[in-house]
Amino acid sequence: MQEEDTKAVADPPKPDFWRDPRPTNENPNFVRDYFASSRLHFIGSFRARYESMMVAVAANLAVNPRLLLQSSAEKGLLSAKTTRAERVIVHIDMDCFFASIAVKKNPALAGKPIAVCHGGGEISSCSYEARKFGVRAGTFFRDGRKLCPDLLSVPYEFPMYEEASLLIYAIFYSSPTVSVEAVSVDEAYLDITLAIGDDRHASQSGADALVRSLRDKIFASTGCTASAGIGPSKLVARLATKAAKPNGQMRVRQENVIAYLDTLQVKDLPGIGWRTGRRLREKSITTVPQLRALSLAELQSEFGGRQGQVFYNLARALDARPVEPLKPRKSIGAEASWGVRFTKEEEDKARKFIMDMADEVAARVEAAGAYGTKVVFKEYKRKKNASMVGYKHLGHGPCVVFTRSARIQTRSAGRPLKELLRQACIRLHNDLGLHSDELRGVGVQMTDLSFADLNFDHAEATTAGSTRRIDSFFETAVPSSIGNGLSISQRRKAANEAIKDLPSSRNGLGQVSNQSKGGAFDKEEPFEVEFVKKHSERIEASKERMASPIDEQTETHLADIEDEDRIEPAPAQVEFQRAPQVKDAVGKAHESRELDIPKGWDREVFHNLPKDLQDELLKSSSHAIAAGHPPPREAEAVTDDTSAHRIAPPKRRRNPKPKPAAAQAERAKRRKAGQVTMTQFADISNLKKRGHNVLDAEEFREMPLRDCVELLGDLRGKPLNVRTLQTDRRNVETERTGRREGEEDELEDLEIPSPPSLSSDSDGSCSMTEMVLRQGFEEGPVYAEEELSTYAEVLRVWMRTVAGDVKSGHVELIRGRVLELLRRKKLERVCSEMRLVRLFVGEEGMGAWVGHYNRILDDVQEECRVLYKFRLALRKA
DNA sequence: ATCCTCCCCTAC
DNA sequence: TAAGGTAGGGGAGGAT
Ligand SMILES: Nc1ccn([C@H]2C[C@H](O)[C@@H](COP(=O)(O)OP(=O)(O)OP(=O)(O)O)O2)c(=O)n1
Ligand SMILES: [Mg+2]
Ligand SMILES: [Mg+2]
């Protein structure tokens, strides 16, 4: 605050913005600074960096990169189908990756509990010494300190992570018979079936030896340890890695797979995360055998067809997914939901920020040599009752997230991508109608991509390709004897034959470019070796750097990898319009009706329509951004592919552009007369407008969920899925027929103010017996002041007495008491008592209580969610 | 049936 | 105090 005042006097440009990050309305370079410091951006952009690496290698070989990747894929396919009944799959992952790099850089940290984070923020990775205390990725450093008082905070070293990553991939790619599937910056799957002998016994030890040598090479190269799992499938290999950590390797044989699985919790299965784990727990399913006891039909009715099948297979370790190379991305985007702050008066700044984000995406799309035809725009809106304090500093806090999408015209002549993206985003921002002071995050995504360099078009691929990745997850591996007993070189030959026989469109993979000759296996320089050669300079340099731990020059490296230079927007080109209120969205269309009629609509037909139909049409046409200001070009670009253009011929599939006005009119009319649709039944005013005799929101809220679902199902003439009403937050801001408000844990905190004298400064000695804690629950919403302070004293002294040796009985006493209060809906009391406990837990000598309090708090919040669908505004210790 | 939009969930 | 991104699979509802 006074910072602003003194700025004019002396304000040396802060070189350390990262130490004192400013929100969007105070930092014009927010986007650059933020992405340079975000760990999630770093790990999230791995795929983009990896992709460009592959393109570079392919360019060097003068072949279509898709062919390279295909050859690799075919190796995976072959190994699955030929040599032996059992594939040999390896999953390999660096141990506490970021933390290990920190130790590498500063060996004095070895053996110590360390956590990688910005000063006091969220922990990204921590050493195994720290994990012994319960510290995890995602823990706040402050909380980590409570668990582990000696925990040290170490800063990020993104360039070093990138270098180590390159080194391990160089090792993975150094064997031509091993196929590689990149997973993340520190992790990959390998199919080593072809790399080891056919004899089963020999191959088992061969697998172990090969994996050990890979891990040795990794350590020699990076100075960091990796762990690995070996199994008959990706799933099993991955689970084995976890068990092998740290610095170990583990093989699970086919015959032991189920026994091993039976020792696991459902939450340990990849794909079952926090939410699904909770849903299963609510059905009393916590272990893998319990999950296996559910029938396919049960799982599918609960989770849907595909997901149900996946969970069913997970429980049985059925997993035939091949190890295959990454496919080109289907979407490219950027998002920021931290530090986004504007005042009501800063709408212009907000738009500038949105345009910066659009520019960022444009730059990333262009860097990838891609072009997309669809823009997805996303905004985080602060929840109405969200407390302004108590959340992560400058975090988004409790939010509703909205997304809107639009088509952009296919490379309308000469219009820079940047412009189109900006225009689309601003337009969609207007559609959403958020006020700038409630904006907490912005996301921009470009999808429906095609790649110039790869001569690859996703739409084409989808049409031509028969298999989607998930499909293979459903099959079990098919044993086959083809290729058995062949030498490696013979198998390579077979692999090349197989590739030659493939129609180039097979699997939706692109075509061989003119210069490429023969299958990749024939080349003297196999792709894998080429990878290493191509990057040898960087690899060597990295090796050197990794060899000298204490090293300074890491600062500029990341920029080499991802060029995030941005052109300053020319403000003149941008018209700032007032953001319309939500309700005005249609009204706004009236003013500029002429201009806003989407190209491709029949102007005359349109004007002859009734006014309300016109409105209806315009409303739905916000999906066709092309309708926007400068009238778009006709989509003649579709036809030209031959020359300098980067876009592969889009084949057929007329891109979903505005349909003829007449058809639209038909649809609008039908909808008007027709049945209740989703957006309509979700919005009560809409239901009423449509003449449905419908109750008001209050009545809906009080109706049992079952009845509500049934009623709406009837109105719709089609059964309604319960979960849609329960958890889907679509259009949450309308007056709801459902009960989404306050539904989820991220929704409103219930703020219950503390009673006046909580700090309990009295020091009077009370006889404290556990009987006092067991005393009856008084009536009335709040404690009489006296009562509370008496209770507080008793509680404090009791807690202190047992603090030396807190037994589970002690904990249960507290937990049972607050949970009972909660069940009786004495929320003020719950909050008062929890705050008391928290207060005391913070005192000197009460350390043993900290973890117990936090666990009790978790239980209270969980119970509160189940019972009342909100959270109490209580803090962790 | 299949496509589209918006939303949810997961992994690193 | 503090850097809560990125991309994929998939589901439901609706339009065709
Ligand atoms: N929530 C997370 C998870 C991971 N990472 C980063 C830091 C990790 O070091 C790196 C790799 O993720 P891993 O899941 O492999 O975790 P670690 O390598 O740290 O530990 P482990 O030994 O369990 O693999 O990604 C992160 O920033 N935030
Ligand atoms: Mg790891
Ligand atoms: Mg990992």
Side-chain angles (χ1 to χ4, degrees), chain A residues 488-545:
Chain A
I488 296 249
S489 61
Q490 284 171 314
R491 272 186 239 144
R492 284 196 198 175
K493 205 152 188 156
N496 273 327
E497 291 305 319
I499 292 168
K500 273 194 221 127
D501 287 341
L502 290 172
S504 59
S505 63
R506 166 79 187 275
N507 287 344
L509 306 174
Q511 306 162 354
V512 182
S513 80
N514 309 347
Q515 304 100 312
S516 93
K517 18 177 162 230
F521 284 97
D522 283 332
K523 296 198 83 68
E524 274 95 31
E525 297 287 10
F527 163 63
E528 297 79 2
V529 176
E530 188 64 27
F531 173 92
V532 177
K533 247 177 72 178
K534 164 78 180 175
H535 293 281
S536 59
E537 225 168 277
R538 275 184 65 199
I539 291 168
E540 289 311 317
S542 295
K543 276 183 185 161
E544 263 169 50
R545 271 189 290 265

Side-chain angles (χ1 to χ4, degrees), chain A residues 92-98 125 128 131 184 186-187 245:
Chain A
I92 188 158
D93 182 295
M94 302 297 285
D95 299 320
C96 52
F97 185 44
F98 290 7
S125 176
Y128 277 77
R131 293 186 197 193
S184 78
D186 83 326
E187 177 181 354
K245 273 177 176 295

Side-chain angles (χ1 to χ4, degrees), chain A residues 477-492:
Chain A
V478 183
S480 160
S481 60
I482 303 169
N484 248 348
L486 295 181
S487 72
I488 296 249
S489 61
Q490 284 171 314
R491 272 186 239 144
R492 284 196 198 175

Side-chain angles (χ1 to χ4, degrees), chain A residues 754-770:
Chain A
S754 302
S757 69
L758 224 163
S759 47
S760 132
D761 45 357
S762 61
D763 191 41
S765 57
C766 264
S767 74
M768 69 325 286
T769 77
E770 302 191 358

Side-chain angles (χ1 to χ4, degrees), chain A residues 738-750:
Chain A
R739 23 182 84 42
R740 270 156 242 191
E741 305 287 351
E743 181 78 25
E744 280 293 331
D745 29 341
E746 296 86 356
L747 296 202
E748 282 78 17
D749 282 358
L750 185 64

Side-chain angles (χ1 to χ4, degrees), chain A residues 39-40 42-43 93-100 116 122-126 128 131 137-138 156 161 184-187 227 241-242 245-246:
Chain A
R39 81 180 203 277
L40 289 177
F42 176 78
I43 62 177
D93 182 295
M94 302 297 285
D95 299 320
C96 52
F97 185 44
F98 290 7
S100 298
V116 180
E122 238 184 77
I123 292 169
S124 160
S125 176
C126 60
Y128 277 77
R131 293 186 197 193
Y156 290 97
Y161 310 149
S184 78
V185 71
D186 83 326
E187 177 181 354
S227 297
T241 303
K242 201 178 211 166
K245 273 177 176 295

Side-chain angles (χ1 to χ4, degrees), chain A residues 12 63 162 172 256 263 378 393 407 421 451 546 551 566 568 670 712 758 823-824 854 860:
Chain A
V63 307
E162 184 56 21
F172 299 150
N256 299 328
T263 67
K378 170 154 92 164
H393 178 57
R407 296 279 165 188
L421 267 170
F451 289 84
M546 300 303 285
D551 205 69
R566 214 161 293 97
E568 203 55 32
R670 229 179 303 147
L712 291 169
L758 224 163
R823 272 171 218 125
R824 299 184 186 197
N854 285 332
V860 166

